[in-house]
Amino acid sequence: MVRPGGRSARVQAAVHAAVRELASEVGRDALTVPLVARRAGVTPSTIYRRWGDLQELLSDVAVERLRPEASPGDHGDLYADLTAWAEQFLDEMASPAGRSYIRDALLGDPDGSNAGQCSAYAAEQLETVLARAAGRGDVTPDVETVMDGVVAPLMYRILFRPDGLDAPYAHRLVAQALGRTGP
Amino acid sequence: MVRPGGRSARVQAAVHAAVRELASEVGRDALTVPLVARRAGVTPSTIYRRWGDLQELLSDVAVERLRPEASPGDHGDLYADLTAWAEQFLDEMASPAGRSYIRDALLGDPDGSNAGQCSAYAAEQLETVLARAAGRGDVTPDVETVMDGVVAPLMYRILFRPDGLDAPYAHRLVAQALGRTGP
DNA sequence: CCTTAGACGCAATGATTTTGCTTTAAGCTG
DNA sequence: CAGCTTAAAGCAAAATCATTGCGTCTAAGG
């Protein structure tokens, strides 16, 4: 039985807000459950019962922050749309804050559902871009191709190789995924 | 000043061994610093001072376990070599134990050096395979191409999308990276 | 309105983490 | 090789955090 409204919802909102506030005030590494609880006006045991531990709570908050806020912009053609999207994706994800969210989302995620959600967000955005291109009559790759060719390499480098990540690299990936050899 | 030998080295070895033993006896989730310390014959404060916390310790141990044990096998041609390597990579990394090590390696890794090491292991193995192919006179893609085209998609799915990972998928990635459309 | 059960608060208990100080021994230096 | 210097380990107390039982509150359904 789930209780989406009322007090439970208020507690959840207060705790999430407390995490975000404290993360920017004292830094993510200084967060503790009792600290968050005090700020949220809640007892620690509430957080432990509901989220299990700090990591799962942070994972929850991280997934919310990784949710895209807007639909991908329309720049006239598929190549421009994808390039712009990849560039924004890179900016958001490769920033220190973005990396931190990604790590948190992966971390406190026993069943992999939060990580799956992150991937679904990207796939959803790509669907939009590709459907728009198809509506223009363009021939488009499918979502899987772009996930493998653009999203995966970007994310791999964000997680495993902090170096060599810049806009030109993202552009190359998009061009390759679209079957071009250059812009 | 670093002290690579003597007591420090013995402590490090004992602690690493204790982690591996206990992980297989009681499960990775039941590990605690005091537990590891007792098994290693060491005081908890030693571990806290040296590694910071349990996650950084587990990250250290995980990277060791992710180190390849043998050079990639020789199967006659580049396509066969890469296919076999990708298949083995997938087997090892996508297993529950492999996923757990990858997560641990990424997790307790403030400066990203452990994650970088994992990536370097894969790159090193690919170097071997590609150099061998070049020695045969074959035209070969460079390491970056294979990292982007094969390793990154596999790792992305391992971390973010537990489904749809099987040998045929790995084969397709290899074929695409080598510029073929089919085997 | 009344019932029911999930979620929260409180408080006690146990475990982990931190910290100051002491002791050990690795690695230099003469 | 003996002595010195200092990083690293041990020890123990104190602080903080995690867990759990029990009572209360309140959302959701009848």
Side-chain angles (χ1 to χ4, degrees), chain A residues 8-159:
Chain A
S8 297
R10 280 197 303 278
V11 167
Q12 152 137 1
V15 169
H16 276 222
V19 168
R20 287 192 297 271
E21 289 170 21
L22 288 169
S24 70
E25 288 174 24
V26 303
R28 183 217 164 291
D29 291 341
L31 293 183
T32 66
V33 170
L35 187 68
V36 171
R38 271 195 298 279
R39 172 65 64 101
V42 158
T43 47
S45 65
T46 295
I47 294 182
Y48 287 118
R49 283 217 162 85
R50 186 145 164 189
W51 281 278
D53 61 13
L54 182 65
Q55 288 180 358
E56 290 187 45
L57 170 58
L58 291 180
S59 183
D60 247 34
V61 174
V63 171
E64 274 199 358
R65 304 218 78 174
L66 290 172
R67 169 182 297 145
E69 289 165 10
S71 278
D74 188 336
H75 298 82
D77 64 42
L78 174 59
Y79 180 77
D81 280 358
L82 265 188
T83 301
W85 181 83
E87 207 167 316
Q88 187 188 345
F89 182 82
L90 180 62
D91 273 359
E92 286 172 3
M93 298 296 188
S95 69
R99 284 173 208 259
S100 175
Y101 290 136
I102 295 168
R103 281 166 45 118
D104 284 342
L106 282 175
L107 213 102
D109 194 19
D111 59 350
S113 60
N114 283 350
Q117 190 56 247
C118 294
S119 181
Y121 289 150
E124 197 178 309
Q125 297 248 302
L126 291 176
E127 291 272 22
T128 303
V129 169
L130 295 176
R132 189 156 57 207
R136 295 191 195 106
D138 293 357
V139 49
T140 67
D142 61 10
V143 174
E144 292 302 308
T145 302
V146 184
M147 292 292 283
D148 286 347
V150 179
V151 176
L154 289 177
M155 196 57 90
Y156 183 81
R157 291 196 182 220
I158 287 169
L159 289 173

